[in-house]
Amino acid sequence: MRPRAPRTTPQVTVVIPCYNYARYLPAVVDSVLGQTGVDARVIIVDDASSDDSAETARKLASGEPRISVVVHERNMGHIATYNDGLSRVSTEFVALLSADDLLAPGALSRATALMTANPRVGMVYGRPLEFSDETQLPGTTGRMRHSWTVWPGHEWIGWACRRGRCFILSPEVVMRTEVMRQIGSYNPLLPHSGDLEYWLRTAAHWDVGRINGPVQAYYRVHGSNMHLTTFATMMVDLGHRLEAFRVLRSPEVLRGLPRGNRLFERAQQAVGREALILAARTLDSGGPTADAAALRDFASRSTPGRQGRRRMQGVGWRLARADGGKAPMVWQRAAEAGRTQLDRVRWRAWRMVGIS
């Protein structure tokens, strides 16, 4: 649908959890307070950093009433830090933005305009753009023509379950504070996939919107990223992802999503399918057989279905061949090249429509 400008100036609070990211704080705060078309506030929650993050945050807040600072006396971990900051929000809309990420110009006004025009939409996301410390921040596309997509929440969950994955990085999401209060806190038992579980809980009761076109947020990729350090292996990612989908079987979600049990089974099959595809890709490219065997074993614990059983047999054949010291056949390497091209197509589709 075509965007419509709101008649009021929405109030948005951006919670910025921080741990040893003092060097990034000025830029992320500027990216929030420089937003146009909204009344933006900032809550910085420092989780007992060992660098000068707390001091930097207090300097930024000095003389700036739109910035509040909370400093933990002891390290509580990122989930508890999220929940602490979010519990302090009093504005109509809210966003959670890591201290090393950035908002794109106009992101908050675009997201809040969509929710203002569509009262059933509980959260909005858009296109994130990755960048690194070594590369210059990509140019913004704030003047690009954009449109809105609104999915019924159940339909969006269905897409996520078919693919067995999350379509959102995280910094590009803006929510209604009312929704956040209804959904509750982030789950401390899911340190890696808590975002996915939170979006599923939200979509079980509310519609989901997306800004198509312009970049909504910048996601910084560097050696300190949690997903590159604490959770370095695909096996761990798949396991945590599956645990996030398990929320579809909870009484809280089933009240708004009666098909939750069936959707979880679909997600379980999709995650298992991805594990088998990764195993095949590992073997077709001449990778370690131990990694492929672990992925196959992970997939075997799901409900594979007929297609999954065929994939399991294919991976078993590849493993037997690799264990016998044989290199991948020509068609195996061709198949891997085809999968790489398919990845590119899906990536482009995701950029355009937000699901793939």
Side-chain angles (χ1 to χ4, degrees):
M1 63 183 69
R2 292 183 178 180
R4 301 196 297 274
R7 297 179 179 178
T8 60
T9 301
Q11 294 183 335
V12 191
T13 298
V14 178
V15 175
I16 302 176
C18 178
Y19 179 70
N20 289 347
Y21 276 167
R23 62 194 183 278
Y24 297 133
L25 274 176
V28 67
V29 170
D30 283 347
S31 79
V32 176
L33 297 186
Q35 295 285 310
T36 58
V38 296
D39 179 3
R41 325 278 178 83
V42 170
I43 299 176
I44 302 172
V45 186
D46 178 67
D47 194 25
S49 296
S50 58
D51 67 357
D52 58 346
S53 291
E55 181 182 353
T56 301
R58 291 187 178 110
K59 285 182 179 178
L60 291 170
S62 177
E64 176 51 83
R66 293 178 293 172
I67 302 176
S68 302
V69 178
V70 180
V71 178
H72 292 167
E73 294 184 1
R74 60 180 179 83
N75 185 268
M76 299 172 63
H78 67 283
I79 297 294
T81 302
Y82 294 175
N83 290 333
D84 184 12
L86 293 172
S87 69
R88 301 169 185 269
V89 174
S90 58
T91 54
E92 183 180 2
F93 301 103
V94 59
L96 182 67
L97 185 66
S98 176
D100 57 335
D101 296 331
L102 299 167
L103 286 180
L108 295 183
S109 62
R110 288 188 290 267
T112 55
L114 191 158
M115 285 186 280
T116 300
N118 296 272
R120 282 295 309 157
V121 172
M123 72 176 193
V124 172
Y125 69 108
R127 180 162 68 95
L129 203 59
E130 294 185 352
F131 73 106
S132 69
D133 293 338
E134 290 73 32
T135 59
Q136 188 175 3
L137 185 69
T140 62
T141 53
R143 295 184 180 180
M144 176 185 288
R145 289 183 59 185
H146 73 281
S147 63
W148 294 344
T149 298
V150 174
W151 292 277
H154 299 187
E155 182 180 328
W156 188 86
I157 290 176
W159 279 103
C161 291
R162 287 186 195 99
R163 294 288 291 134
R165 60 177 55 215
C166 184
F167 305 123
I168 302 172
L169 279 181
S170 182
E172 67 272 31
V173 172
V174 183
M175 295 184 68
R176 293 183 191 274
T177 304
E178 171 194 358
V179 173
M180 184 190 68
R181 297 281 181 255
Q182 176 190 341
I183 301 305
S185 302
Y186 275 78
N187 187 345
L189 300 178
L190 296 173
H192 182 45
S193 56
D195 286 331
L196 171 57
E197 193 242 24
Y198 205 77
W199 311 146
L200 292 170
R201 277 195 275 155
T202 300
H205 302 281
W206 293 80
D207 293 344
V208 178
R210 185 180 190 264
I211 306 296
N212 305 313
V215 173
Q216 283 292 99
Y218 295 103
Y219 180 79
R220 191 186 302 266
V221 178
H222 54 79
S224 300
N225 281 97
M226 187 172 300
H227 76 286
L228 296 177
T229 55
T230 310
F231 305 98
T233 68
M234 182 57 69
M235 280 290 300
V236 172
D237 176 75
L238 291 170
H240 280 266
R241 205 188 303 171
L242 188 58
E243 288 305 308
F245 278 110
R246 210 174 291 278
V247 75
L248 296 175
R249 309 179 78 171
S250 68
E252 168 198 354
V253 168
L254 288 172
R255 282 194 294 270
L257 188 68
R259 297 186 300 123
N261 285 314
R262 205 165 73 198
L263 285 168
F264 171 73
E265 291 175 1
R266 181 180 296 173
Q268 187 179 37
Q269 289 182 5
V271 174
R273 179 179 66 240
E274 183 170 345
L276 289 173
I277 291 172
L278 288 168
R281 297 188 72 163
T282 299
L283 295 167
D284 289 351
S285 59
T289 57
D291 291 352
L295 287 163
R296 181 196 59 180
D297 293 344
F298 173 88
S300 69
R301 296 191 289 272
S302 66
T303 307
R306 182 181 301 176
Q307 190 177 30
R309 287 192 292 271
R310 286 201 298 267
R311 281 199 174 96
M312 193 83 70
Q313 292 170 355
V315 170
W317 178 86
R318 287 171 168 85
L319 274 171
R321 181 180 174 82
D323 286 338
K326 297 179 180 179
M329 300 178 72
V330 173
W331 69 264
Q332 288 180 261
R333 296 191 179 277
E336 174 55 19
R339 296 188 198 103
T340 301
Q341 292 300 320
L342 181 59
D343 284 344
R344 291 173 180 165
V345 171
R346 283 179 171 156
W347 178 78
R348 290 182 180 277
W350 169 74
R351 283 188 62 184
M352 291 178 61
V353 300
I355 56 177
S356 64

